[in-house]
Amino acid sequence: MAVAARRKFRREGEERRRQDLIEATLDCVAENGLQGATVRAIALRAGVTAGLIRHYFPGKEELLQAAYATIMGRMTELAKTALATVEEQPRLRLAAFVEASLVPPVIDVRTFSIWASFIGRAGSDPALGVAHRAGYLGFRDEVETLVAEVLADAGRQASAGELRRHAIAINAIIDGLWVEGCLAGDMFAKGELAEIGIGSVEAMLGLRLRQGDVA
Amino acid sequence: MAVAARRKFRREGEERRRQDLIEATLDCVAENGLQGATVRAIALRAGVTAGLIRHYFPGKEELLQAAYATIMGRMTELAKTALATVEEQPRLRLAAFVEASLVPPVIDVRTFSIWASFIGRAGSDPALGVAHRAGYLGFRDEVETLVAEVLADAGRQASAGELRRHAIAINAIIDGLWVEGCLAGDMFAKGELAEIGIGSVEAMLGLRLRQGDVA
DNA sequence: GACGTTGTTATGCAAGTGTATAAATATTGC
DNA sequence: GCAATATTTATACACTTGCATAACAACGTC
């Protein structure tokens, strides 16, 4: 009689498997929220069976944490990339940074869905709250540094309080436009959000960023 | 022998029970996300047994939808209240609106958690996406009207495109500051976010909102 | 005060959950 | 080729999930 044939499989490297499982987890979260991230759904998407998850992670909770760390790392890495623009002039660097934050791949509905799914629990889950705060502050500090350079370049000096307010405001408008761009990107023309973002920052700082060489 | 005593109960009005169940659902979602909103957890919090849910709703899905509609309605109602400020002068109205959007009860971590939990699925759930879009557009239109009044009051006229950009930008900065205020309210001094928000809007529009009578 | 209506509880069920364990097989070193 | 290893599958288990159903009791009506 036909005994059920055992499934064929290949041994992947440990790093590769971990990565695949994390990616599968992020896919599940993006599509159906944390509810959709069951061990079986994750395993199915990763092309393995459920039991394997516990071979690479102590439990589902740890896999979710690893997935969250991954998406956060990816987001900040994108931000860093945007910050490390090749531009020399501070104003162009700030403009390039704002622009990079408001076009793909930073504007991305999948990333947003994952972010929202996790961040919704930041109020009750201390670990998530701390992680968010750290990411936010790191981001804001970068913005603040950038703003300080821009103002110095323009021959203006700002107090610590002014710098702080500028950084908070610029960070907020980027975040706000990012949310809308991710949620309803098709409501905006291509490049429109970046245009609005840069224009807003210019207005806030009271100087032009893009036509660069006026002191 | 002691037969298990059946639980005492009272018959509440239909409206009251529905409301209690919805509120319990929102509590559960706020605390543990959609995952935490199980029929048993909801019933426990509402002070009833699980079966009763299906007496008032066709299923859990419908209860969640009702809860989402409720929280959305509450948010837009708060926004409308902020918009219907008693101020006469357009500039003061806009300032009051921005301020109201950036202090409690609009700034509220519970509301934010619920919003994030639901909106995380807006990318995959068409109904949620449409609902968000409608709410956002309604809100933005109000902002646009307000801005138009302010500019007219200042003797300036703006094209439709300019109005649109202003509305998008102002909306974004309010959203961005709202997110941060909800997630990490203790990082900001009381009233600081409102101050930054109003200041940013002033910078964007190129006029003062609060000391009002210069044309 | 008895009675019927129906809001409410209690119980049960099939499907799905995370996890534990054993069996099987792909890979490595010889 | 062959044995050793540990990656991977398969299966089982206790628990939770949403939902169905029946028993019950609170309330309005006569």
Side-chain angles (χ1 to χ4, degrees):
Chain A
M1 68 188 265
V3 113
R6 197 168 245 257
R7 181 174 161 170
K8 300 290 182 192
F9 61 91
R10 277 183 44 205
R11 295 184 162 187
E12 301 288 351
E14 166 167 350
E15 207 50 38
R16 170 71 188 280
R17 270 279 135 87
R18 285 190 121 88
Q19 213 55 37
D20 284 353
L21 287 173
I22 288 175
E23 208 57 44
T25 303
L26 291 175
D27 281 339
C28 290
V29 172
E31 284 187 15
N32 295 312
L34 290 173
Q35 295 193 96
T38 68
V39 290
R40 286 171 178 81
I42 293 167
L44 179 66
R45 193 178 284 263
V48 298
T49 53
L52 193 60
I53 288 179
R54 292 221 8 134
H55 190 262
Y56 288 104
F57 297 91
K60 184 196 168 191
E61 187 62 30
E62 285 77 10
L63 172 54
L64 281 177
Q65 286 173 14
Y68 180 66
T70 298
I71 195 72
M72 285 291 281
R74 206 167 288 174
M75 287 174 72
T76 62
E77 189 183 1
L78 280 174
K80 299 287 184 190
T81 305
L83 279 164
T85 168
V86 295
E87 299 294 342
E88 288 297 330
Q89 304 177 36
R91 305 186 199 192
L92 291 180
R93 292 189 66 215
L94 180 54
F97 168 66
V98 174
E99 159 131 28
S101 301
L102 295 174
V103 297
V106 177
I107 294 271
D108 174 52
V109 64
R110 176 176 176 271
T111 303
F112 173 82
S113 291
I114 298 167
W115 173 83
S117 294
F118 278 110
I119 210 66
R121 290 180 62 179
S124 54
D125 186 328
L128 282 182
V130 169
H132 164 75
R133 200 163 297 215
Y136 167 71
L137 281 182
F139 196 79
R140 203 180 81 189
D141 281 350
E142 297 278 5
V143 172
E144 193 168 314
T145 301
L146 219 40
V147 169
E149 290 170 6
V150 167
L151 291 182
D153 175 68
R156 287 164 49 185
Q157 62 179 1
S159 69
E162 279 176 300
L163 277 181
R164 172 185 156 92
R165 280 197 296 278
H166 279 141
I168 292 173
I170 292 174
N171 201 70
I173 196 164
I174 292 176
D175 284 356
L177 291 174
W178 177 74
V179 169
E180 287 316 320
C182 291
L183 274 175
D186 56 297
M187 276 175 29
F188 306 97
K190 189 174 161 189
E192 183 178 18
L193 289 177
E195 181 69 24
I196 293 175
I198 293 174
S200 300
V201 171
E202 288 179 332
M204 286 176 187
L205 298 180
L207 46 77
R208 307 285 296 175
L209 296 179
R210 290 161 295 188
Q211 54 202 38
D213 43 351
V214 181
Chain B
M1 65 189 275
V3 113
R6 196 168 247 255
R7 179 175 165 170
K8 299 291 181 192
F9 63 89
R10 277 183 43 206
R11 295 186 163 187
E12 300 287 351
E14 165 167 351
E15 207 51 37
R16 169 70 187 280
R17 271 279 135 89
R18 286 190 122 87
Q19 212 56 35
D20 284 352
L21 287 173
I22 288 175
E23 207 57 45
T25 303
L26 291 175
D27 281 340
C28 289
V29 173
E31 284 188 16
N32 296 313
L34 289 172
Q35 296 194 95
T38 68
V39 290
R40 286 171 177 82
I42 293 167
L44 179 66
R45 194 178 283 262
V48 299
T49 52
L52 192 60
I53 288 178
R54 290 225 5 141
H55 190 263
Y56 287 105
F57 296 90
K60 185 196 167 191
E61 187 62 29
E62 285 77 9
L63 172 55
L64 281 177
Q65 285 174 13
Y68 180 67
T70 297
I71 195 71
M72 284 292 282
R74 207 167 285 172
M75 288 175 74
T76 62
E77 189 182 2
L78 280 174
K80 298 286 184 191
T81 306
L83 279 164
T85 170
V86 295
E87 300 293 343
E88 288 297 329
Q89 304 176 36
R91 304 187 200 192
L92 291 179
R93 293 188 65 215
L94 180 54
F97 167 66
V98 174
E99 159 132 28
S101 301
L102 295 174
V103 297
V106 176
I107 294 272
D108 175 54
V109 63
R110 177 175 175 272
T111 303
F112 173 82
S113 291
I114 298 167
W115 173 82
S117 294
F118 278 109
I119 211 66
R121 291 180 61 179
S124 53
D125 186 331
L128 280 182
V130 168
H132 163 76
R133 200 164 297 216
Y136 167 71
L137 280 182
F139 195 80
R140 203 180 80 188
D141 280 351
E142 297 278 4
V143 171
E144 191 168 317
T145 302
L146 220 40
V147 169
E149 290 170 6
V150 167
L151 291 182
D153 175 69
R156 288 163 47 186
Q157 60 179 5
S159 68
E162 279 176 301
L163 277 181
R164 172 186 157 91
R165 281 196 296 277
H166 280 141
I168 292 173
I170 291 174
N171 201 71
I173 196 164
I174 290 175
D175 285 357
L177 291 173
W178 178 74
V179 169
E180 286 315 320
C182 291
L183 273 175
D186 57 296
M187 275 176 29
F188 306 97
K190 191 175 159 188
E192 184 178 18
L193 289 177
E195 182 68 26
I196 292 175
I198 294 173
S200 299
V201 172
E202 287 179 333
M204 287 176 186
L205 298 181
L207 45 78
R208 307 284 296 174
L209 296 180
R210 289 162 296 188
Q211 54 202 35
D213 43 352
V214 180

